[in-house]
Amino acid sequence: MGRGPDPGPALRRGRKRNRGGTSTAAAMFGMTTRSRGREQQQSSHSKSARNKLDGSGERLPSEGCGKRKKAKLDGISRRVSSERSSKKGKSSQDRDILEKRPKKRNRGEDEDDVSCSSAVSSPLREPYMPDGTEISKPIDSAISDKYRDMQEEYYAKIARQMKMPMLCELTPPNCLVNDPTLLHIRESSKKIVLRAAQFIVGLSSSFDGEPLAWCSGFWIDLDSEKRTGTVVTTAHLIRTKRPSPDAWLCKDEYASDVKVTVHLRGGAVAKGRLLYHQKHYNLAFFRVKMHQSIQLPHFIDKVECAQDIFELGRDESVKLVIHHGRVKYSNPDVYERNHHMRIEGPHRDREYDNGGPVIDLDGKVVGMIDSCPEGSFIPSSILLKCFHLWRNFGRIRRPHLGLKFSAISLLNPVQVEDILIEHKINEGLIVHEVSAGSPAERCGIRVGDVIECLDGKCVSTVVELDNMLLSIVVNSGDGLNSDLDVEIQVYFPRRYLRRIKILTVKVSEDGEFVARGNRRNFVTPIKHQEEGGGSSYVAN
């Protein structure tokens, strides 16, 4: 076939434009028909992907599914037809995507909510100052000032990093790090201590605007409905005066209007409201509004001699205070209450852990630290009975015998053997002091006599005696009058005989007072009508 007439340059250009799909300008940028097709295909894919993703990168439901969900929320059960779904225009689709994208925050909002930001911090780079050989002219003051500013920013960033708990090494020393003798229990004890840390708090008090004391404490009860918890600690927190180290003289003074702040884990604080304090056992209970979930401890009332324990508390930075020791059975000294037990271990400052828990190697609470006297704690058997009485009756009462004791079984074995040989006894409580004018004194009990039984049950330690006295009140439902008859079996070593005595003792929530007898009328002045008018004294 022959070639037709030439259509002319313009028509040829038009055919080329229509056939290739590109303009002369596009050809200048190297765009061919095939490359433009690929670009359109990629553009359509990216638009499709954007339609399925919102601004935060989360996948959105398809258009039809979205309408069906909306129809159900509106109470319409009919199915939305695909024909109606296809009528939705591109502009409305783009508008839906824009509405689902998160709004851009203002600068102030970003600064206030730094903790929620996912932006990566800038890497740490030490500023560099070039010397004179690296540049053609001397360093001017502007460069020096800039270098100093960068140095300040550099060290400030290091300081901020070192405040992170992952990087901070300025933690107080404790036995789980520094004591090599605990190597065999170190790893397991770390986990136990961290579990126990969940129920330990710090408490600070102030009186008349002046700081009074810092103690530790722990949760012992909670009310989920009222979102409140109960913290137990030592009454030293609200003690304003201690004129005498002798606890039996009951001269300590307390203030119920002391301002108490409870320091929780993580740095949060709450107001502590005093519910009750007991002077004899030196206990105080505070109600606290819960700002976080709390963990209650598990108790065990069996404490074995020489078992490993940890004393826990919190210092003024609310950091854990950890000390290791072993339970020591010993008699109380002359100033110490009967219900204390001892901790054998290195001398330590108990400024912060006073009132904190004592736990065993299973993480169970075996007592509460009472630093008066030094190195002692209240066993959980006493603590739980006190808590039971307070929670059920609003007070903690106990019978007052007016006696101080020491256990025969805890004496030096040489002395125990002497007692056994001469008196044929090796258990019981030796009377060391009798309160003047008490029922015990009136019924003939003197220093050196031995209390063997209480209400028909043998007693061998002073802690055991105090548990028996509290059990009497617990079992009676606290429905006691001010007086109570207690039966005791007494061995009188001066006469080598035993007798059953009935003591009518006072039941009180006050501290037990043991008065020392004074012979106020030991000497009486007698005036003689002699020259000079002098006086002489005769013994009664």
Side-chain angles (χ1 to χ4, degrees):
M1 293 178 63
R3 181 182 297 177
D6 187 7
L11 185 57
R12 284 199 302 271
R13 286 194 301 270
R15 287 177 179 175
K16 185 184 290 186
R17 188 180 296 116
N18 293 333
R19 185 171 58 249
T22 59
S23 63
T24 306
M28 294 175 63
F29 289 96
M31 294 180 65
T32 63
T33 306
R34 186 173 298 175
S35 64
R36 179 162 184 172
R38 284 198 303 268
E39 181 186 7
Q40 290 177 351
Q41 186 178 4
Q42 292 174 359
S43 176
S44 64
H45 286 170
S46 63
K47 287 183 179 180
S48 175
R50 284 197 301 269
N51 290 340
K52 293 180 181 179
L53 295 174
D54 65 355
S56 62
E58 296 179 354
R59 187 172 296 278
L60 296 174
S62 62
E63 187 179 347
C65 294
K67 286 193 173 184
R68 285 197 295 273
K69 289 182 180 179
K70 185 175 181 180
K72 291 181 181 180
L73 290 173
D74 293 339
I76 304 172
S77 59
R78 66 178 182 274
R79 193 186 193 95
V80 180
S81 63
S82 59
E83 180 182 359
R84 183 177 178 185
S85 301
S86 63
K87 291 181 181 180
K88 188 171 184 180
K90 182 179 180 181
S91 61
S92 63
Q93 187 178 9
D94 293 341
R95 186 167 59 250
D96 290 345
I97 294 174
L98 290 174
E99 288 175 355
K100 292 177 182 178
R101 288 178 179 172
K103 295 181 180 179
K104 185 177 180 181
R105 297 181 180 178
N106 296 327
R107 184 176 181 85
E109 293 175 356
D110 289 340
E111 292 174 355
D112 293 340
D113 197 15
V114 176
S115 62
C116 298
S117 174
S118 60
V120 180
S121 62
S122 59
L124 184 65
R125 295 289 187 269
E126 186 175 1
Y128 171 71
M129 169 68 82
D131 56 21
T133 61
E134 299 181 36
I135 55 177
S136 59
K137 58 182 180 179
I139 300 174
D140 58 13
S141 59
I143 296 178
S144 299
D145 293 342
K146 180 65 176 177
Y147 175 73
R148 282 193 294 269
D149 293 342
M150 293 174 67
Q151 267 193 324
E152 291 179 1
E153 183 180 351
Y154 171 73
Y155 290 117
K157 186 166 186 176
I158 291 178
R160 289 195 300 271
Q161 286 182 348
M162 297 310 295
K163 290 181 180 179
M164 298 172 62
M166 289 74 70
L167 302 177
C168 181
E169 298 181 355
L170 299 177
T171 55
N174 61 74
C175 59
L176 289 179
V177 178
N178 306 97
D179 191 347
T181 63
L182 299 184
L183 183 61
H184 63 294
I185 59 172
R186 180 178 294 171
E187 295 306 316
S188 59
S189 298
K190 285 181 180 179
K191 298 177 182 178
I192 292 167
V193 166
L194 287 174
R195 283 202 305 267
Q198 299 178 67
F199 53 77
I200 304 172
V201 300
L203 299 102
S204 60
S205 60
S206 60
F207 186 62
D208 290 338
E210 295 294 329
L212 184 60
W214 177 283
C215 296
S216 297
F218 52 98
W219 300 102
I220 197 171
D221 194 21
L222 64 88
D223 189 334
S224 301
E225 294 182 358
K226 297 181 180 180
R227 294 192 59 80
T228 59
T230 303
V231 171
V232 62
T233 185
T234 173
H236 293 165
L237 186 68
I238 60 172
R239 185 178 63 188
T240 55
K241 289 183 180 180
R242 190 184 181 221
S244 172
D246 190 349
W248 295 97
L249 297 180
C250 302
K251 291 186 176 182
D252 291 356
E253 297 181 15
Y254 303 84
S256 58
D257 57 344
V258 169
K259 181 181 178 182
V260 173
T261 302
V262 181
H263 303 262
L264 308 173
R265 301 178 72 201
V269 296
K271 181 180 179 181
R273 184 169 70 87
L274 178 64
L275 299 175
Y276 179 77
H277 75 280
Q278 218 275 355
K279 297 178 181 179
H280 184 86
Y281 294 108
N282 216 9
L283 298 174
F285 299 94
F286 291 89
R287 177 158 293 164
V288 185
K289 191 74 174 177
M290 292 188 299
H291 296 278
Q292 53 188 253
S293 60
I294 64 174
Q295 181 74 32
L296 294 180
H298 295 282
F299 292 83
I300 184 169
D301 57 4
K302 278 191 174 183
V303 185
E304 301 293 338
C305 183
Q307 78 174 78
D308 290 286
I309 53 92
F310 287 100
E311 306 169 67
L312 304 179
R314 294 198 180 275
D315 62 14
E316 292 182 343
S317 301
V318 204
K319 294 187 182 297
L320 273 177
V321 177
I322 310 169
H323 294 300
H324 171 262
R326 290 183 175 175
V327 177
K328 176 184 177 182
Y329 283 7
S330 65
N331 283 312
D333 59 32
V334 68
Y335 303 121
E336 185 180 352
R337 296 288 193 188
N338 289 331
H339 58 269
H340 287 113
M341 296 187 71
R342 290 284 189 173
I343 299 173
E344 181 72 20
H347 178 75
R348 60 186 68 103
D349 186 5
R350 289 181 171 84
E351 179 183 2
Y352 299 119
D353 55 1
N354 188 21
V358 180
I359 65 170
D360 61 12
L361 295 187
D362 293 324
K364 295 180 180 179
V365 175
V366 298
M368 188 192 81
I369 303 168
D370 190 350
S371 62
C372 183
E374 181 69 20
S376 63
F377 70 98
I378 303 172
S380 58
S381 57
I382 299 286
L383 193 63
L384 289 174
K385 287 184 177 68
C386 289
F387 177 67
H388 173 82
L389 287 170
W390 169 72
R391 185 173 59 179
N392 290 282
F393 308 109
R395 56 186 178 179
I396 302 171
R397 306 172 73 205
R398 64 182 295 280
H400 290 190
L401 300 181
L403 299 168
K404 293 183 183 180
F405 303 99
S406 65
I408 293 178
S409 60
L410 300 180
L411 297 175
N412 187 309
V414 177
Q415 187 178 359
V416 175
E417 185 187 38
D418 291 341
I419 296 172
L420 181 61
I421 292 172
E422 184 171 351
H423 298 283
K424 306 297 186 292
I425 59 173
N426 59 0
E427 280 196 345
L429 303 181
I430 302 172
V431 176
H432 276 281
E433 194 164 338
V434 183
S435 183
S438 65
E441 186 184 61
R442 290 195 296 269
C443 78
I445 297 177
R446 300 293 181 262
V447 172
D449 294 343
V450 179
I451 307 298
E452 296 182 304
C453 296
L454 177 73
D455 284 348
K457 297 180 181 179
C458 294
V459 55
S460 58
T461 65
V462 290
V463 174
E464 191 177 329
L465 173 69
D466 233 77
N467 266 305
M468 290 180 178
L469 294 175
L470 281 174
S471 295
I472 293 173
V473 184
V474 171
N475 296 332
S476 66
D478 198 40
L480 298 173
N481 299 320
S482 58
D483 295 330
L484 173 70
D485 290 337
V486 178
E487 179 186 286
I488 59 174
Q489 178 179 304
V490 187
Y491 176 76
F492 297 96
R494 296 173 180 85
R495 292 176 286 171
Y496 295 90
L497 55 83
R498 290 178 174 84
R499 291 289 184 268
I500 301 294
K501 297 288 184 177
I502 303 297
L503 297 182
T504 303
V505 299
K506 181 177 71 171
V507 180
S508 172
E509 60 183 329
D510 292 329
E512 183 173 358
F513 177 69
V514 176
R516 292 174 181 170
N518 293 319
R519 292 284 300 275
R520 295 182 182 275
N521 59 344
F522 179 70
V523 291
T524 303
I526 300 176
K527 291 186 178 181
H528 297 278
Q529 300 298 326
E530 298 177 355
E531 187 177 355
S535 300
S536 62
Y537 298 84
V538 295
N540 292 331

